[in-house]
Amino acid sequence: MNTIPHWINGRAVPGSDTAPVFNPATGAEQARVVLGGPADVDTAVAAASAAFETWSESSLSRRVQVMFAFRQLLADHEEELGRIISAEHGKTVDDARGEIVRGREVVEFACGLGDVLKGGFSDQVSRGVDVHDFRQPLGVVAGITPFNFPAMVPLWMHPIAIATGNTFLLKPSERDPSAANFVAQLYRRAGLPDGVFNVVHGGKPAVDAILTHPGISAVSFVGSTPIAKYVHEQATSHGKRVQALGGAKNHAVVLPDADLAYAADHITAGAYGSAGERCMAVSVAVAVGSAADGLVDVLERKAREVKVGPGDAPGTEMGPLVTKAARERVENAVGTAAAQGATVVVDGRGLKVDGHEEGFFTGPSLLDHVTAEMDAYREELFGPVLAVVRVDTLDQAIDLINANPYGNGTALFTGSGEAARRFQRNVHVGMIGVNVPVPVPMSYYSFGGWKDSLIGDSPIHGPEGVRFYTRPKVVTTRWPQQAQHVTAGFDFPTSS
């Protein structure tokens, strides 16, 4: 059986402890992944620290050239990487290719950092005195990433970190680890020096070693809110910068003037795509007023039409969940919702796929008459369950969203510009879509929610990513003529 190693200083590094990697479509163990700890993190940080000495001094042109080459290799190997992701995560190959494309957009943003990194200059701020500023890399930085986007989420981090002159240590999810090693090899082929990008696999011991290691300057994290809070607390207490993106409960509000077929079509895709294992998945449809009955009718029909099967099978729209435990948790949540008074319109529990009876499949579930007090509304289910909440007005929908502890993404379906403007100004959410169900911003904007969806104040990629991975210096200069004597003063300097 294949064993997936660490990638440190440009080579595969074995380990003694391992954990299984499953094929979610069959339920079978298909590989083992090594589990690292403090010693492996030490080794990777030492390699990254040594590489930083030269990489941080390389020209911006050189760094951007590597990014251009890396971007082309990602495009050339999109199909291969997509199939690697599908086999370990369970999502469809097309969905996996989609995440690679969205991640590649961040690489393209990194290719243009020459303009973003330009500093400012102020001439003659005082007689014979000029001021300019520039940004420098931090050093060794790390990323701790989730299973649901094994390519895209790390690509939100390391291209910007590396292009700005840092070296990087990635700790991917041990559930689908192969994408990280594949990307590491693409970086090497792109001309990235050994030690600039490293991968250490593992669980909590590896995470804790990263959070406390004195040689790591910053940590980026995407995952559940409880772990995001833990990462933020531990890493900041050890003097590190932290990006910590947490969980979500994303609402899609449908007004009576919306095109119900259009809204239901996009909400269905947003709820059940990738089996709902997305931090930007639509998990709550808020039906306003007279839109409710018609919306539920169309959602029911579309949920029953979703084609569930192995991720590599032609025509599959939704694959299995990532683990057996994830399937059990989601199906238990549907049962709890029914017990608490929700109407189970479509019940996806107990689905069996011919030829893949041991796979971790569940079908799309649709719940109606859900209230804010029910577990199906309060908890992040991270599965193919869509809850419908009925309200009378748009203002009630806004109040519902604002009372929720999460504030990652939300959407409004309407034909009214006034309603859309009122919604986007008053809702307490970081990323908003108008007639767009999954409003993931482009790479030249930054990704991040509000409230419990973002711990701290550092969103990811885009301009905020550049600021996160660099720190500014401001230089005040005077070049007096050699024949001219400038008297030193003990008073606080002024601009006169």
Side-chain angles (χ1 to χ4, degrees), residues 156 225 245-253 270 278-286 377 380 397-398 400-402 404-413 423-424 427-434 436-441 446-454:
W156 286 354
T225 291
L245 280 66
K249 199 70 178 179
N250 304 313
H251 302 69
V253 179
R278 296 171 174 164
C279 66
M280 291 293 283
V282 177
S283 53
V284 181
V286 184
Y377 177 81
E380 184 184 24
I398 292 172
L400 176 76
I401 295 169
N402 290 348
N404 193 279
Y406 296 111
N408 205 45
T410 190
L412 176 69
F413 289 87
F423 181 78
Q424 66 193 36
V427 75
H428 299 167
V429 174
M431 293 171 286
I432 300 166
V434 177
V436 175
V438 183
V440 178
S446 296
F447 181 106
W450 286 18
K451 300 183 286 187
D452 280 354
S453 294
L454 178 67

Side-chain angles (χ1 to χ4, degrees), residues 369-444:
H369 301 289
V370 175
T371 67
E373 294 74 33
M374 294 180 182
D375 291 350
Y377 177 81
R378 293 187 299 106
E379 297 176 359
E380 184 184 24
L381 302 182
F382 225 62
V385 179
L386 176 62
V388 178
V389 178
R390 297 175 179 234
V391 300
D392 293 328
T393 66
L394 174 58
D395 288 336
Q396 289 178 352
I398 292 172
D399 290 342
L400 176 76
I401 295 169
N402 290 348
N404 193 279
Y406 296 111
N408 205 45
T410 190
L412 176 69
F413 289 87
T414 182
S416 168
E418 183 279 327
R421 189 173 190 276
R422 175 154 45 109
F423 181 78
Q424 66 193 36
R425 287 184 60 81
N426 293 334
V427 75
H428 299 167
V429 174
M431 293 171 286
I432 300 166
V434 177
N435 298 316
V436 175
V438 183
V440 178
M442 297 298 291
S443 61
Y444 37 85

Side-chain angles (χ1 to χ4, degrees), residues 142-179:
I144 302 168
T145 57
F147 76 88
N148 58 328
F149 288 101
M152 185 183 74
V153 169
L155 284 165
W156 286 354
M157 303 172 184
H158 52 73
I160 296 176
I162 290 170
T164 52
N166 300 279
T167 53
F168 200 89
L169 166 58
L170 174 62
K171 206 300 289 182
S173 171
E174 60 274 27
R175 297 177 188 175
D176 44 10
S178 293

Side-chain angles (χ1 to χ4, degrees), residues 316-340:
T316 294
E317 294 172 320
M318 189 182 100
L321 292 171
V322 69
T323 63
K324 181 179 180 180
R327 181 188 65 192
E328 292 173 350
R329 174 178 49 77
V330 168
E331 295 193 344
N332 288 340
V334 175
T336 299
Q340 292 178 342

